């Protein structure tokens, strides 16, 4: 039965999540450790050592696994799994991830962009299981995207496809870290949310967000905005409303272009919930998308929570 279990590794800028995932998409064992800040080739061997230790604790050997999948926060070129770029792990550019991990584990390893992997996981096991095309939009530090079409991850010509976070909704809009203006990430990524909150906080000295920061003004983040919005704070609700509107515009664009069966949201911001986030995204998308296209597309929050990425990474091992 053990070869019905795959290992998922979800590498983030700060943490690496690992999970043993069964053929029903359930994470049966999980662990998390810090992302090594050493040079990438050394970091890969440290991650591999940590993973082997995790497997030993779970009384598993790599030979007993269905396979290993790795989700990485950046663009991955081709089947060889070369990192083309990564906003949070810049030094990893040009690293052949598939080869390095295959050498470290002594077996083939599938590597892809983390949001691509998450899209596959949702397609295989998630709330919108089997929906095709299926689009995932990951709302966290950055905004990522993944698309499954015809049951397979859509990669574009070399693997850089589905950068949904960097499609612009306003040619004169907020400046994005990529240099473009009006990218969704500039509104719905953590930095964008914080920037919008600061602009409004200057006019609202009574906002709950001041108290939440407790004098540490650098601590303001998207989670605080969501919590204050849930408590009815006017400024936080306004920020959350604008963020949801921006994501709703993006959602309408994707609905019109791809005619997807499902668009699913994952990442930390989904903690804002149905009332504050999802309902407003749906309302905005409905007001903009073509009617027949909107009516045939489910718009949902992932129910995999923090494990969405690592379950997706394991999904690649089942799909290969
Ligand atoms: Zn951008």
């Amino acid at each position: 039965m053990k070869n019905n279990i795959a290992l998922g590794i979800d590498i983030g800028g700060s943490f690496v999540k690992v999970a043993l995932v069964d053929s029903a998409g359930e994470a049966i064992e999980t662990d998390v450790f810090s992302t090594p800040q050493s040079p990438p080739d050394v970091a890969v061997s440290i991650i591999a050592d940590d993973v082997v230790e995790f497997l030993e604790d779970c009384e598993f050997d790599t030979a007993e696994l269905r396979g290993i999948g790795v989700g990485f926060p950046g663009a991955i070129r081709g089947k060889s799994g070369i990192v083309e770029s990564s906003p949070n792990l810049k030094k990893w550019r040009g690293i052949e991830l598939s080869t390095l991990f295959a050498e470290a584990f002594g077996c083939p390893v599938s590597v892809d962009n983390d949001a691509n992997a998450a899209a596959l996981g949702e397609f295989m096991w998630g709330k919108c299981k089997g929906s095709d095309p299926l689009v995932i939009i990951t709302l966290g530090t950055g905004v990522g995207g993944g698309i499954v079409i015809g049951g397979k991850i859509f990669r574009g010509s070399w693997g850089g496809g589905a950068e949904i976070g960097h499609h612009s909704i306003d040619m004169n809009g907020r400046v994005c870290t990529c240099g473009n203006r009006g990218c969704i990430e500039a509104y719905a990524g953590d930095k964008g949310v914080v920037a919008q909150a600061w602009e409004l906080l200057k006019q609202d000295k009574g906002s709950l967000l001041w108290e939440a920061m407790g004098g540490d003004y650098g601590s303001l983040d998207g989670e605080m905005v969501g919590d204050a919005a849930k408590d009815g704070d006017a400024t936080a609700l306004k920020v959350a409303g604008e963020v949801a509107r921006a994501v709703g515009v993006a959602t309408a664009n994707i609905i019109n272009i791809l005619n997807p069966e499902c668009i699913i949201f994952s990442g930390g911001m989904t903690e804002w919930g149905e009332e504050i986030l999802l309902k407003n995204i749906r309302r905005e998308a409905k007001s903009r998308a073509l009617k027949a296209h909107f009516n045939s597309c489910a718009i949902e929050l992932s129910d995999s929570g923090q494990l969405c990425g690592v379950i997706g990474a394991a999904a690649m091992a089942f799909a290969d």
Side-chain angles (χ1 to χ4, degrees):
M1 283 303 285
K2 282 189 172 178
N3 59 4
N4 274 334
I5 289 172
L7 175 71
I9 304 173
D10 181 25
I11 300 176
S14 308
F15 296 101
V16 178
K17 290 176 195 156
V18 293
L20 287 172
V21 177
D22 68 15
S23 56
E26 292 294 325
I28 52 173
E29 298 279 358
T30 62
D31 202 357
V32 58
F33 35 84
S34 297
T35 306
Q37 298 304 317
S38 27
D41 51 340
V42 179
V44 167
S45 65
I46 294 171
I47 291 170
D49 288 347
D50 286 343
V51 169
V52 168
E53 205 173 302
F54 163 72
L55 288 171
E56 281 168 5
D57 289 346
C58 303
E59 296 178 359
F60 251 85
D61 186 88
T62 52
E64 297 169 300
L65 292 167
R66 172 69 171 253
I68 302 174
V70 177
F72 185 80
I76 302 293
R77 187 180 278 272
K79 277 276 170 194
S80 49
I82 298 172
V83 178
E84 177 63 30
S85 61
S86 175
N88 292 317
L89 293 169
K90 288 193 172 72
K91 289 181 192 158
W92 292 58
R93 188 167 191 270
I95 294 295
E96 284 192 41
L97 273 187
S98 299
T99 311
L100 284 178
F101 274 117
E103 282 170 8
F105 291 122
C107 64
V109 176
S110 305
V111 178
D112 210 331
N113 167 268
D114 50 5
N116 286 355
L120 186 66
E122 290 292 334
F123 175 78
M124 287 173 61
W125 301 311
K127 199 186 261 181
C128 293
K129 178 181 171 180
S131 295
D132 199 342
L134 176 146
V135 178
I136 194 164
I137 302 179
T138 61
L139 302 168
T141 309
V143 176
I147 301 170
V148 170
I149 295 180
K152 290 189 171 1
I153 296 170
F154 168 77
R155 293 192 171 81
S157 66
W158 53 260
E163 283 290 358
I164 290 167
H166 297 285
H167 92 270
S168 177
I169 56 166
D170 181 355
M171 67 181 183
N172 299 313
R174 307 183 80 85
V175 176
C176 181
T177 49
C178 75
N180 192 4
R181 278 187 181 272
C183 290
I184 285 300
E185 182 163 309
Y187 298 84
D190 218 35
K191 265 190 187 167
V193 174
V194 169
Q196 290 168 94
W198 274 122
E199 285 160 19
L200 291 174
L201 274 172
K202 286 171 195 158
Q203 287 122 47
D204 179 9
K205 296 296 177 197
S207 169
L208 294 174
L209 286 169
W210 291 108
E211 199 183 314
M213 284 183 275
D216 180 7
Y217 300 134
S219 70
L220 182 61
D221 61 14
E223 191 181 343
M224 278 185 200
V225 172
D227 289 345
K230 283 178 196 166
D231 289 338
D233 182 72
T235 290
L237 278 167
K238 204 168 175 186
V239 174
E242 282 300 295
V243 170
R245 256 190 96 204
V247 177
V249 176
T251 301
N253 295 343
I254 294 161
I255 287 175
N256 286 356
I257 293 168
L258 286 178
N259 182 208
E261 201 176 341
C262 171
I263 297 183
I264 195 146
F265 294 95
S266 70
M269 194 189 284
T270 57
E271 301 284 329
W272 291 11
E274 293 244 350
E275 271 314 305
I276 288 163
L277 187 69
L278 192 63
K279 277 190 179 172
N280 292 323
I281 292 174
R282 280 191 185 133
R283 184 184 302 121
E284 191 67 27
K286 187 179 183 182
S287 73
R288 292 172 182 268
L290 297 167
K291 198 165 182 249
H293 293 59
F294 178 83
N295 288 341
S296 56
C297 180
I299 302 173
E300 298 288 349
L301 301 179
S302 167
D303 49 17
S304 310
Q306 299 289 329
L307 294 175
C308 184
V310 74
I311 290 173
M316 294 193 292
F318 281 104
D320 280 349

